[in-house]
Amino acid sequence: MKNILLLGATGSIGKSVLSVINENQSKLNLFGISLNNNLNTANKIIDDFNPSFIHIEDKDTFDNQKASKEIIYLNGDEELKDLINHQDVDIIISAISGFAGLKATHLAASSGKKILLANKESIVAGGDLILPLAKENNSEIIPIDSEHNAIFQCLSGEKGVDDVQRVTITASGGPFINKKLSDLKNVRKSDALNHPNWKMGSKISIDSATLVNKCLELIEAKYLFDLNEKYFDLVVHPQSIIHSIVTYVDGSSICQLSKPDMRIPIAHALSNENRLNINFDSIDFTNLELSFQEFPSDRMVIQDIAREVCNNGGLLGTIFNAANEIAVENFLNEQINFDEIYEVIYRTFDKNNMSNDLSLESINEVDMLTRIEAQKVVKSIA
Ligand code: NDP
Ligand code: MG
């Protein structure tokens, strides 16, 4: 039996993880969960899974919850640290959304435990800190972002990445893939949130619509697989069946296929020696049409920025990530138009100050300063 600590349990990834645990109760136990303030969903999880510990980030929510004898409620950074390091926790799932997940991912990286990583923003913003820390502490990181899990599966059984010639990261392209950027000025929030293949949290849904998600994933892949950005191609594959492709120097390309369902990479990452059984929707290979197209040329600037982040590292990813989070937040609050998300990122990124001090404190500080700069850009265009 493996004890799981699910950080961000009340979100979309959390829901998929809970479904896999539910189908594998003889192997997996929900030991603890964390959330920000969504007590309604947390209470349902408590009823269904009976975890021993609940960490609530939001202090007011924590103060207002009804204590129960069987469950230990926690709040604050020290208690989060104690929970992550609890001797009975075997697997930590990092599924908080956005930069807010960095604190927990950082703690997990020093815990020496197995980390299943969904929270890509913590790697984008702090990859140069998190990856060495995880290595130093023998904390194994297994990706559950579908593309990275696919690459991980394609690399398994190989001797590292020495024989890799190319890695093709696929992108669904989101709801607007066949539109020009110039036609997207007045798209509605509800259309941008309406992803054709995946049902996800609102932040990543907007990232998918802008294709910034793929750029964050390029940076995430560079760190997780320790490969130069030159090895990665970003290719649009609207059906979301092939989740990524690894081509080796001998000409073989290996890919991973499944219907778009996050429970599949999660089940893989949670498997031990044997794969876990889950109910899934099979691919009908006799009726399968797969197509691919180039990354849209009118959004290449954003890919170029991501490649610059990969090449320079340090705190540049913190800046890129924070500028995007502010832009997305303001789009979701209907303060800026869809196309202005890019403007906020470009103009904020241009003003960045590079520093090479790599600590959690410096990342938090640069994140905060970038948010202030990005908010100024929003004000100038809103
Ligand atoms: P959601 O918005 O659905 O869920 C976010 C979770 O994080 C919730 O449990 C939320 O708690 C919690 N949370 C938010 N802010 C804080 C905070 N400050 N402190 C502690 N907890 C917080 O996001 P998703 O599940 O869609 O995404 C989670 C991560 O996984 C993201 O990094 C995303 O990029 C990545 N990912 C998601 C995929 C998907 O299919 N959804 C696919 C691949 C990667 P509460 O409910 O209380 O607000
Ligand atoms: Mg992904």
Side-chain angles (χ1 to χ4, degrees):
M1 183 68 84
K2 294 282 178 203
N3 277 335
I4 294 166
L5 171 58
L6 176 53
L7 306 168
T10 48
S12 161
I13 289 285
K15 191 174 174 192
S16 296
V17 171
L18 293 169
S19 165
V20 174
I21 294 176
N22 194 38
E23 285 188 79
N24 289 277
Q25 291 182 27
S26 61
K27 293 177 180 156
L28 306 172
N29 172 49
L30 187 68
F31 180 77
I33 64 170
S34 91
L35 60 137
N36 186 33
N37 60 13
N38 185 348
L39 262 190
N40 280 344
T41 304
N43 284 334
K44 212 182 156 309
I45 298 171
I46 293 167
D47 287 346
D48 293 346
F49 292 90
N50 197 25
S52 307
F53 292 91
I54 318 287
H55 185 276
I56 302 176
E57 180 70 19
D58 183 67
K59 182 78 170 72
D60 288 344
T61 311
F62 173 75
D63 289 340
N64 290 326
Q65 50 77 27
K66 287 194 205 93
S68 134
K69 278 191 196 127
E70 290 119 61
I71 299 165
I72 300 175
Y73 287 83
L74 308 170
N75 170 252
D77 295 356
E78 274 310 305
E79 294 193 340
L80 180 64
K81 184 177 176 185
D82 291 345
L83 179 57
I84 284 173
N85 287 299
H86 193 294
Q87 60 174 7
D88 293 342
V89 169
D90 300 307
I91 297 170
I92 301 162
I93 305 193
S94 167
I96 293 171
S97 165
F99 184 81
L102 177 68
K103 183 171 68 182
T105 307
H106 182 257
L107 288 169
S110 33
S111 70
K113 297 179 194 271
K114 191 189 243 192
I115 306 166
L116 271 45
L117 183 93
N119 177 235
K120 63 191 86 181
E121 294 90 343
S122 59
I123 301 301
V124 172
D128 280 320
L129 178 69
I130 300 290
L131 272 297
L133 192 65
K135 198 169 179 194
E136 207 176 290
N137 290 286
N138 290 320
S139 312
E140 186 188 7
I141 299 182
I142 301 186
I144 54 181
D145 204 349
S146 56
E147 299 74 6
H148 306 74
N149 184 267
I151 298 167
F152 189 86
Q153 293 200 47
C154 296
L155 287 170
S156 70
E158 301 290 330
K159 293 189 190 72
V161 289
D162 289 356
D163 295 337
V164 171
Q165 192 226 30
R166 296 222 65 69
V167 179
T168 306
I169 300 180
T170 53
S172 68
F176 308 131
I177 192 56
N178 294 316
K179 298 230 162 59
K180 289 202 182 81
L181 184 54
S182 52
D183 295 334
L184 296 178
K185 194 167 176 48
N186 295 315
V187 297
R188 284 180 311 193
K189 185 170 114 178
S190 54
D191 294 330
L193 285 170
N194 191 16
H195 197 282
N197 306 343
W198 301 93
K199 193 160 171 7
M200 310 179 283
S202 54
K203 195 263 173 182
I204 184 174
S205 296
I206 302 303
D207 286 345
S208 292
T210 55
L211 285 164
V212 170
N213 183 48
K214 219 37 60 182
C215 299
L216 298 173
E217 290 184 354
L218 167 66
I219 303 166
E220 182 188 9
K222 174 241 135 120
Y223 279 112
L224 292 182
F225 303 108
D226 198 17
L227 269 174
N228 189 285
E229 54 79 24
K230 288 190 176 59
Y231 282 84
F232 296 99
D233 294 319
L234 307 186
V235 170
V236 174
H237 165 48
Q239 297 85 8
S240 296
I241 294 289
I242 292 186
H243 300 292
S244 279
I245 307 160
V246 176
T247 301
Y248 288 93
V249 287
D250 61 1
S252 277
S253 290
I254 316 264
C255 64
Q256 184 261 348
L257 291 77
S258 72
K259 288 267 181 79
D261 176 349
M262 283 310 292
R263 294 177 312 122
I264 294 171
I266 289 167
H268 168 264
L270 278 171
S271 63
N272 216 354
E273 275 137 36
N274 289 99
R275 290 197 178 232
L276 294 175
N277 248 303
I278 60 166
N279 275 317
F280 63 93
D281 194 7
S282 315
I283 299 170
D284 176 0
F285 287 100
T286 57
N287 269 313
L288 187 61
E289 281 185 22
L290 302 176
S291 62
F292 301 88
Q293 59 200 68
E294 282 181 2
F295 195 91
S297 57
D298 57 5
R299 266 148 290 176
M300 271 316 271
V301 182
I302 201 82
Q303 189 182 137
D304 291 343
I305 289 182
R307 290 190 185 273
E308 192 181 333
V309 170
C310 289
N311 286 321
N312 292 304
L315 296 166
L316 215 48
T318 318
I319 293 164
F320 179 48
N321 181 67
N324 179 53
E325 288 197 17
I326 289 296
V328 172
E329 196 179 294
N330 278 282
F331 172 71
L332 287 170
N333 292 333
E334 297 176 341
Q335 297 299 308
I336 58 171
N337 288 333
F338 185 82
D339 61 331
E340 289 166 346
I341 294 175
Y342 299 98
E343 188 180 338
V344 173
I345 300 172
Y346 299 159
R347 284 175 53 192
T348 309
F349 195 76
D350 260 2
K351 283 201 183 154
N352 73 75
N353 287 316
M354 273 296 277
S355 148
N356 286 323
D357 172 22
L358 260 180
S359 63
L360 193 59
E361 292 71 31
S362 62
I363 293 171
N364 280 324
E365 195 191 344
V366 168
D367 172 77
M368 187 194 64
L369 294 174
T370 308
R371 283 167 195 267
I372 294 169
E373 279 307 319
Q375 204 58 58
K376 283 187 202 158
V377 178
V378 168
K379 219 174 157 197
S380 76
I381 54 181

